[in-house]
Amino acid sequence: MSRILVTGGTGYIGTHVLAALSEAGHHAIPLDNFSNSSPAAAERLREITPRIAPPVEIDMRDRLGLASLLAREKVDAVIHLAGLKAVGESVEQPLRYYDNNVRGTVTLLQALADANVTRFVFGSSATVYSPEGTTPSTEQSAVGPTSPYGRTKRLVEQILEDTAAADPRWRIAVLRYFNPAGAHSSGVIGEHPRGVPNNLMPYVCRVAAGQLSRLQIFGNDYPTPDGTGVRDYIHVCDLAEGHVAALGVLEGIPAGEVLTANLGTGRGVSVKELIETFERVNGIAIARETVSRRPGDVAVYCANPEFAQSRLGWKARRSLEDICRDAWRYAERSAREKWP
Ligand code: NAD
Ligand code: UFG
């Protein structure tokens, strides 16, 4: 059993990583500043998986706070998920994004190096790939993020590459997520955006719950089979298990190198297919209308997941039906019980 610090541990992906770590027999310690989450989710998870430590409230830019945590808690490895993630907001507030995501990560890495904690997994994004690059994306596809958010992700990847090259103690894996969706099958944790959701699945769930009147489909004139945008939706529990797999191969990464792997399914799903699957699986009609394209969107984002399969021994196992069923189970219950 290892002791794993999870930054952003009370967020959407973080809580599912806590569950996967616990299922794999690790001891997980969530850290968060609660800027986009509440400790309540981790507390609910602790009711069904008591091995998870209570969440620690620290901002990753607080080096003294991190140093004091690392002095009192033995930590074998870190899964780094803390960050701001709204593309549109990053265009309006770039300095806030660079300060939080980039300066925050540098501060975290400094505190970890001081404490000799040098096993590190970073939650990056498919948004680092250039929209002009090849699809499905392999890890060798051209990078070229198009938003400040995407550039913070790529900058952190480069900082990690430089850090590994400079100091042979580090073992670092970078995981590039495609479109995480769905929720833990227990229904106690899931995606819980504040305000009106930007992303497709939480928006669909709000329409299903009667909290929003209709879904807007952003464009039906893309060069895709049905004209709507295509994405590689990956069940968040599959994604979380990918982190456990990455931890398992960290020691084998040669000094000076960073292991970079896509976490996706390799299967592209259109907006229309996702809505129709949600309706069929959950027996709920989703009111929708087609509007013009959303600025900045691309037609297709899809992973080539082969490298993760061969190097991490990991593969997404859950279906689009599982994603739709589990997303709704959580959304329906969290709305009914008014979870924070
Ligand atoms: P989330 O907002 O639910 O979780 C991120 C967590 O980080 C939140 O709980 C937030 O409070 C915390 N946080 C932010 N800044 C912090 C700071 N300075 N110190 C401590 N905690 C801080 O988002 P998520 O969907 O769980 O995303 C987790 C990570 O995965 C992020 O880094 C995100 O960029 C990345 N990612 C997410 C997606 C996605 O579609 N959800 C896709 C690709 C990559
Ligand atoms: N869409 C709609 N209506 C909506 C919301 C989305 O039609 O109300 C469509 C989009 O146009 C797109 C698809 O649904 O075709 C998926 O959109 P999302 O907003 O759910 O996801 P994106 O692929 O646009 O972006 C996500 C994350 C980004 C990340 C990117 C690549 O939000 O942070 O995946 O990993 F950069």
Side-chain angles (χ1 to χ4, degrees):
M1 181 183 91
S2 297
R3 296 173 60 84
I4 316 294
L5 181 68
V6 183
T7 76
T10 55
Y12 171 46
I13 295 170
T15 45
H16 291 84
V17 166
L18 299 180
L21 288 169
S22 180
E23 278 158 32
H26 296 297
H27 179 77
I29 308 160
L31 176 157
D32 212 293
N33 69 354
F34 308 132
S35 60
N36 196 40
S37 61
S38 139
E43 295 300 348
R44 277 195 304 276
L45 186 59
R46 271 161 52 77
E47 288 170 20
I48 57 170
T49 47
R51 205 189 333 235
I52 296 161
V56 184
E57 183 173 1
I58 296 180
D59 189 298
M60 63 171 157
R61 292 163 294 186
D62 173 6
R63 188 160 168 182
L64 288 179
L66 291 170
S68 125
L69 172 73
L70 294 166
R72 64 176 190 268
E73 286 275 4
K74 180 180 177 301
V75 171
D76 299 307
V78 176
I79 296 180
H80 177 38
L81 309 173
L84 302 172
K85 61 164 185 177
V87 173
E89 189 182 70
S90 80
V91 175
E92 287 154 21
Q93 304 172 30
L95 297 180
R96 185 169 157 238
Y97 271 67
Y98 287 108
D99 181 65
N100 195 74
N101 294 4
V102 181
R103 181 168 76 88
T105 303
V106 170
T107 305
L108 173 66
L109 291 169
Q110 287 170 325
L112 293 174
D114 288 349
N116 206 25
V117 176
T118 54
R119 302 294 178 266
F120 196 82
V121 177
F122 174 55
S124 189
S125 168
T127 197
V128 300
Y129 290 117
S130 164
E132 272 89 55
T134 48
T135 268
S137 308
T138 71
E139 292 75 5
Q140 284 69 45
S141 295
V143 291
T146 55
S147 70
Y149 163 68
R151 283 187 279 276
T152 68
K153 288 288 169 192
R154 183 59 194 146
L155 272 170
V156 168
E157 290 188 0
Q158 290 170 314
I159 288 166
L160 293 173
E161 287 158 17
D162 290 341
T163 301
D167 182 344
R169 288 180 301 165
W170 288 93
R171 296 289 179 277
I172 299 174
V174 166
L175 303 177
R176 292 177 175 160
Y177 313 154
F178 280 71
N179 286 56
H184 193 264
S185 59
S186 67
V188 301
I189 52 170
E191 192 165 12
H192 211 94
R194 296 185 172 172
V196 177
N198 288 310
N199 296 117
L200 181 60
M201 183 60 91
Y203 206 108
V204 168
C205 286
R206 294 273 175 97
V207 175
Q211 295 166 326
L212 291 169
S213 61
R214 65 185 55 241
L215 173 77
Q216 295 190 323
I217 297 177
F218 297 139
N220 62 357
D221 55 353
Y222 284 104
T224 59
D226 64 24
T228 65
V230 166
R231 296 290 185 273
D232 185 341
Y233 298 95
I234 172 170
H235 196 295
V236 66
C237 292
D238 282 329
L239 185 90
E241 288 165 9
H243 295 72
V244 178
L247 285 177
V249 304
L250 275 182
E251 291 307 323
I253 300 172
E257 288 179 19
V258 168
L259 184 155
T260 300
N262 289 336
L263 294 186
T265 68
R267 173 166 160 352
V269 171
S270 74
V271 174
K272 199 159 168 280
E273 184 183 356
L274 185 140
I275 298 167
E276 287 169 0
T277 308
F278 187 97
E279 291 183 319
R280 177 167 50 77
V281 165
N282 296 313
I284 302 170
I286 301 298
R288 69 257 205 186
E289 61 183 342
T290 302
V291 299
S292 50
R293 291 181 182 191
R294 183 170 64 178
D297 272 358
V298 298
V300 181
Y301 250 126
C302 192
N304 178 327
E306 283 168 19
F307 181 68
Q309 273 178 42
S310 62
R311 192 69 173 75
L312 307 183
W314 165 93
K315 190 177 183 312
R317 298 183 284 127
R318 295 165 179 88
S319 66
L320 182 63
E321 282 76 7
D322 295 329
I323 291 176
C324 292
R325 191 181 307 111
D326 292 342
W328 176 237
R329 183 185 297 113
Y330 173 77
E332 189 274 324
R333 188 166 164 197
S334 65
R336 184 164 34 85
E337 298 187 11
K338 297 191 169 50
W339 284 342

